Amino acid sequence: KKKKKKNNFTMQSAALVLASLALAAAYQPQVSPHSPCVAAVNGTCFDLTSIFHEVVVTKHMPPTEWTYWVSPCKPYKCPNGEQTAVCQQSDQYYSCGKTEPLWLYNGKYEGAELSIIYPGGDTWRNSVITIVEDPNHNSSTPTVGYVTEEPYLQYNIPITVRQIPRAQWPCW
């Protein structure tokens, strides 16, 4: 009997279609020229300055002991001298993304999710902060989860809030 070869093209095509559908459900808000933490989309203003009014410090998913300083609203001076949105301390200090973000929004008013991408860090590093709205979140302060790194050199920082702060229209 001949073994039937798997058709990799079909599997790859299916994966691309599924990825396209996921991306098609996202909007790209316009970031304010005055603040990287304010953006407008579909008549809604998001203002993250109340969440990020100071630098947030978090850790990488165990077993590593890496530390991250997250400051998406104004550049943080990483000890390596760079102005950055996310600074990592591992074997040395690294910038993991500049405060020149690209925002993505899932388009839901309730249960909103924002993914904010901070590119341009050291040696291809970038960070993705994902803010998820959970009405059952039992704290008035945001919860920052462990940082994961997938794919390599992309630092994923999950943040859960009861409600993503919205500002009055027009945003700026």
Side-chain angles (χ1 to χ4, degrees), residues 104-119:
L104 296 174
Y105 167 52
N106 70 353
K108 297 180 182 176
Y109 194 78
E110 290 183 26
E113 183 174 303
L114 293 173
S115 292
I116 308 169
I117 303 164
Y118 297 89

Side-chain angles (χ1 to χ4, degrees), residues 28-41 46 99-104 116-118 171-172:
Q28 184 178 351
Q30 180 182 1
V31 179
S32 165
H34 310 293
S35 171
C37 277
V38 177
V41 64
F46 293 104
T99 49
E100 299 164 7
L102 166 72
W103 287 46
L104 296 174
I116 308 169
I117 303 164
Y118 297 89
C171 301
W172 55 86

Side-chain angles (χ1 to χ4, degrees), residues 75-84 87 93-95 98 120-122:
Y76 172 75
K77 186 170 183 178
C78 200
N80 67 359
E82 290 192 55
Q83 298 289 328
T84 184
C87 177
Y93 290 96
Y94 294 100
S95 165
K98 306 289 184 207
D122 293 331

Side-chain angles (χ1 to χ4, degrees), residues 10-23:
T10 303
M11 293 165 76
Q12 291 170 347
S13 297
L16 284 173
V17 167
L18 290 173
S20 298
L21 291 173
L23 289 174

Side-chain angles (χ1 to χ4, degrees), residues 119-135:
D122 293 331
T123 58
W124 305 288
R125 284 171 166 76
N126 68 79
S127 294
V128 178
I129 295 175
T130 301
I131 303 170
V132 177
E133 212 172 50
D134 179 359

